[in-house]
Amino acid sequence: NEVVAAIGERVRQACGGAHLGRVGRTTIEFSLPARDDQDAEATLLRVAAGLAEPLVVGGVAVQVRVRIGAARSPTREITDEML
C-alpha cells in the first residue's frame, strides 16, 4: 500500500491536475486534461521520468517498473471503456 501511495504522489507531482484512482492491488489509473497530443505526451514523459527514480518507503529504496498508455476523448469525457 505504501509503495502504491508513493507512486500516486509522484504521478500527482508530474501531472498537476490529474485525477487518480487505484484500480487493483498494483494498478493506478489517472486522467488528465491536455491541450493536445503533444501536451499529453510531455506529461506522460514527466510521469515516466518521475517514476524512474527509486521510491523510498519505510527507509527502503524501491525501484518500480511502470507501463504507461494513453487514450484520448474528443468530447473531453472519460468513459470506463477508455480506462
Side-chain angles (χ1 to χ4, degrees):
N1 283 339
E2 291 178 49
V3 172
V4 174
I7 291 169
E9 184 54 37
R10 292 255 181 114
V11 171
R12 273 190 209 90
Q13 290 172 359
C15 293
H19 298 280
L20 281 85
R22 185 172 182 174
V23 179
R25 196 171 66 92
T26 61
T27 304
I28 296 173
E29 292 182 350
F30 61 94
S31 64
L32 61 122
R35 291 182 300 277
D36 53 33
D37 289 350
Q38 291 79 20
D39 184 40
E41 182 178 359
T43 300
L44 295 175
L45 289 172
R46 284 195 308 276
V47 169
L51 294 172
E53 296 296 320
L55 302 166
V56 178
V57 178
V60 176
V62 178
Q63 186 67 53
V64 298
R65 291 182 297 161
V66 298
R67 285 180 277 174
I68 298 175
R72 62 182 150 145
S73 171
T75 63
R76 304 191 84 135
E77 294 180 26
I78 304 298
T79 65
D80 289 341
E81 292 80 22
M82 295 174 105
L83 298 174

